[in-house]
Amino acid sequence: VTAPARFSGPVTGVVEATPSGDYLQQLFAAGVLIPLGVDGLYARSGGFEAVVDALDRLITRIGRPAWVGADGRSEPEPEVMRLPPAMSRSIFERTGYMSAFPQLAGTVHCFCGDERAHRELLELLESKSDWAAGQTTSELVLIPAACYPIYPIMAERGTLPPGGRVVDIGATCFRHEPSREPTRMQMFRMREYVRMGEVAEVDAFRAGWLERGRSMVTSLRLPFVVEAASDPFFGRTGRLMAAGQIEQALKLELQIPVNSSDAPTACLSFNYHQDKFGATWGLRTSNGAVAHTCCVGFGMERLTLALFRHHGFDTATWPAGVRDILWPEQASP
Ligand code: AMP
Ligand code: ZN
């Protein structure tokens, strides 16, 4: 199955010039982000979180009520799930993440030794040696993308109902990609809507969310482009996989200039997994076919950083239209 032709090329929006300079330093100076001693790991101010919360509610409003697609079919009501930041290691292993993205994964290791092993551990710490080598692999792995734990949950329930399913999920995700770009964090929050069903259902869902994503970002008065993109697959085989992904337009990104206007930042992703997760987890449609899946992912910190970048650090001075979208309860009638 290849992606429909309308996804095969970039869809261009307006990209205005963005102020340059070290955005991370500006965020620290304004107290919006607070350094925690590691690149890509920050505490967030109340002002930052107020925007994250508003975006979270906006994404919920846009996803409801269930909508009717261009083909007249109505989408299933989203089922809400919020996940802890970790997932089962054995489920993680089955996703194939370590083949595709070993460089990004974060596994949880723990001390499981006796008192003697503890004394050795303290000696290693004292002498500033590698104390972590004695840690034992736990049954937990940090979630790399919010939708990974969802597929086995749905497969466990049996065949999909007619019309398939939509899941509204949120999780704190981890990716080991330390960076001085404030938009590239090691721990960040992702909202996702995941669609599971027939090819046509998944296809209509992605097209519908592409439209909704564009109008959401337009209403927030942010410039953007939509581009076919690829995931950062590891190694030489990975480069081939990335090329195939772009060629088939399996991943589209809505990118907003945040750090620079030359390299806009992916803030929303529209991923078509074909039958990859359906086949891995034995998820079937009511017709008995292997289910196809897609997801739309929202980077909460990235969207927030984009808003601060384009409208300033003081939300009170943001354009009234933008404030009304984010805080409709405060909008003047
Ligand atoms: P992806 O699974 O890579 O498509 O990621 C989904 C969304 O999460 C992206 O569109 C970004 O908005 C966000 N995201 C991905 N990586 C990071 C990161 N390192 N820091 C912050 N947000 C990220
Ligand atoms: Zn996903």
Side-chain angles (χ1 to χ4, degrees):
V1 179
T2 54
R6 66 176 174 283
F7 291 133
S8 60
V11 185
T12 317
V14 194
V15 181
E16 288 155 10
T18 326
S20 56
D22 189 340
Y23 190 29
L24 186 61
Q25 280 310 328
Q26 294 169 23
L27 289 158
F28 287 165
V32 174
L33 294 182
I34 299 99
L36 290 174
V38 177
D39 285 345
L41 191 72
Y42 313 111
R44 294 103 176 182
S45 69
F48 188 95
E49 287 305 294
V51 176
V52 170
D53 289 347
L55 283 167
D56 201 43
R57 289 192 302 269
L58 175 63
I59 291 164
T60 299
R61 284 198 299 278
I62 295 174
R64 283 175 194 75
W67 37 295
V68 179
D71 57 355
R73 210 183 345 221
S74 64
E75 291 287 331
E77 195 67 34
E79 176 177 343
V80 177
M81 266 184 221
R82 296 292 177 265
L83 300 160
M87 63 184 287
S88 142
R89 176 159 60 90
S90 62
I91 288 174
F92 170 84
E93 285 163 3
R94 279 182 68 182
T95 63
Y97 199 84
M98 291 310 281
S99 321
F101 314 108
Q103 78 281 19
L104 298 178
T107 50
V108 179
H109 288 67
C110 299
F111 173 77
C112 296
D114 55 13
E115 285 185 55
R116 202 184 117 187
H118 185 220
R119 276 194 299 279
E120 285 165 11
L121 166 74
L122 295 181
E123 277 163 27
L124 289 168
L125 264 172
E126 185 74 21
S127 61
K128 300 213 173 345
S129 310
D130 180 10
W131 59 273
Q135 298 278 97
T136 307
T137 321
S138 82
E139 53 285 271
L140 301 183
V141 173
L142 299 176
I143 293 188
C147 66
Y148 278 96
I150 294 301
Y151 307 102
I153 295 176
M154 295 302 160
E156 187 68 26
R157 293 187 188 169
T159 302
L160 290 172
R165 291 186 192 278
V166 176
V167 192
D168 162 347
I169 46 182
T172 296
C173 298
F174 173 86
R175 290 182 192 174
H176 189 235
E177 44 183 2
S179 167
R180 294 286 294 173
E181 274 184 5
T183 49
R184 191 169 296 283
M185 296 186 175
Q186 297 203 55
M187 297 196 100
F188 54 95
R189 284 160 289 181
M190 212 190 276
R191 272 290 294 279
E192 286 195 38
Y193 286 99
V194 185
R195 182 73 165 102
M196 305 169 191
E198 312 277 349
V199 177
E201 290 165 347
V202 165
D203 179 23
F205 185 85
R206 193 166 80 144
W209 266 109
L210 188 57
E211 223 18 73
R212 290 167 157 214
R214 292 163 59 107
S215 76
M216 176 182 123
V217 173
T218 303
S219 75
L220 295 172
R221 307 214 188 149
L222 297 170
F224 65 91
V225 289
V226 176
E227 292 274 10
S230 63
D231 288 312
F233 294 106
F234 186 76
R236 198 168 348 130
T237 349
R239 279 196 288 282
L240 292 174
M241 290 169 76
Q245 202 181 21
I246 291 180
E247 201 182 326
Q248 295 183 71
L250 297 178
K251 184 183 194 72
L252 300 174
E253 288 178 347
L254 188 152
Q255 304 168 346
I256 304 174
V258 182
N259 304 301
S260 80
S261 32
D262 310 336
T265 301
C267 293
L268 275 65
S269 304
F270 309 85
N271 303 307
Y272 177 32
H273 317 121
Q274 298 169 299
D275 64 356
K276 177 180 181 287
F277 292 119
T280 301
W281 298 106
L283 187 64
R284 292 188 174 272
T285 69
S286 55
N287 296 335
V290 177
H292 280 234
T293 66
C294 74
C295 64
V296 48
F298 301 82
M300 303 307 290
E301 284 78 9
R302 285 189 177 179
L303 280 167
T304 303
L305 289 169
L307 284 162
F308 280 124
R309 173 56 120 182
H310 290 274
H311 302 319
F313 288 148
D314 181 5
T315 55
T317 65
W318 286 7
V322 173
R323 290 191 51 90
D324 290 352
I325 299 279
L326 289 170
W327 294 281
E329 65 281 4
Q330 295 169 17
S332 42

